[in-house]
Amino acid sequence: MSAFADPMPAALAPFVVALSAYDLGPGLAGVHRGLPSSTVSITIPEEEPLEIGWVGRPGSRERFRAAVAGLHLSAAELRQERCTRGVWLTLSPLGAGALLGLPASALAGEIADLADVAPAMADLPERLAACRSWPERRALVERRLLAGLARHGDRAGRHGLRATLAALSGTTRVEEAARLLGCSRRHLSSTVRGEFGVTPKEYQRLVRFESARGRMVAAARKGRVGLAAVAAGSGFADQAHLTREWRAMTGYTPTEWLRAEGGLTA
């Protein structure tokens, strides 16, 4: 998925990781493999509905006018016929509560229609389709997100969740994160499951995966990908560990993914 990102307004910056125009590629049908993610993603196709199915789960494919996906440890395949463009944004786990009004745990491992998740945004696909340029679309999405923040923003600071995410992201062991937060592992697990829908260990696994993904993309852009260095820099035991994890979570080895996506996937 090629994408074109723009900077966020200050009020949205803590909650929106990216807001981009996307294009699934040339031709009558665009196909993209959505990788495991520690964010909540919203995909709004420009014209044609999206078809999305979980990789390795026959019969899971569904059509969405606009799709919301929670934190997930499995890969999904996105297909869009004819017009392969649209708007794509990703929210931090805290962004689900602050902007959509529900905890990220309500969406974990699931894909739902935007109209069902956030009824106030139900008309967004049609409004976006009427826009004539990317700046118009971007401004419209930002206005809707700011309206959501005005309604739900008080959820963002619940239970010290910012500190919880920072501790999990900055450590490799759940026990270490609990120690930094001054709580028991059981309490940390209960909080993370209740708010984000994954275990602390699963969240750290996603952070490690995304670190490796970013390092591989950066290396591919420079024309030299050393998987051993990527593994070491991302917290994997070795290159074999990285390869096993990528195959389990995406259905690809790192090399196969780089070949399929050109190493430049957003």
Side-chain angles (χ1 to χ4, degrees), residues 68 93-107 116-118 152 155 195:
V68 183
L94 299 180
L99 304 176
L100 304 180
L102 76 173
S105 57
L107 300 164
D116 296 328
V117 172
H152 311 298
R155 286 190 54 88
E195 290 293 334

Side-chain angles (χ1 to χ4, degrees), residues 33-39 53-57 70-77 198-213 216 234 236 240-254 256-257:
R33 181 161 294 195
L35 299 186
S37 177
S38 67
T39 60
W54 295 107
V55 173
R57 300 187 208 173
L71 279 67
H72 54 97
L73 286 90
S74 302
E77 185 180 83
V198 295
T199 68
K201 186 174 181 65
E202 287 171 337
Y203 185 78
Q204 289 182 323
R205 187 182 178 197
L206 286 169
V207 169
R208 184 178 61 191
F209 173 86
E210 289 174 328
S211 174
R213 177 186 179 183
M216 281 195 287
S234 305
F236 291 90
H241 182 203
L242 168 69
T243 298
R244 289 195 304 272
E245 187 78 335
W246 268 71
R247 189 187 294 278
M249 295 177 76
T250 73
Y252 285 142
T253 66
E256 289 168 343
W257 176 72

Side-chain angles (χ1 to χ4, degrees), residues 88-118:
W88 176 66
L89 60 151
T90 55
L91 311 180
S92 72
L94 299 180
L99 304 176
L100 304 180
L102 76 173
S105 57
L107 300 164
E110 302 291 341
I111 302 171
D113 198 278
L114 177 62
D116 296 328
V117 172

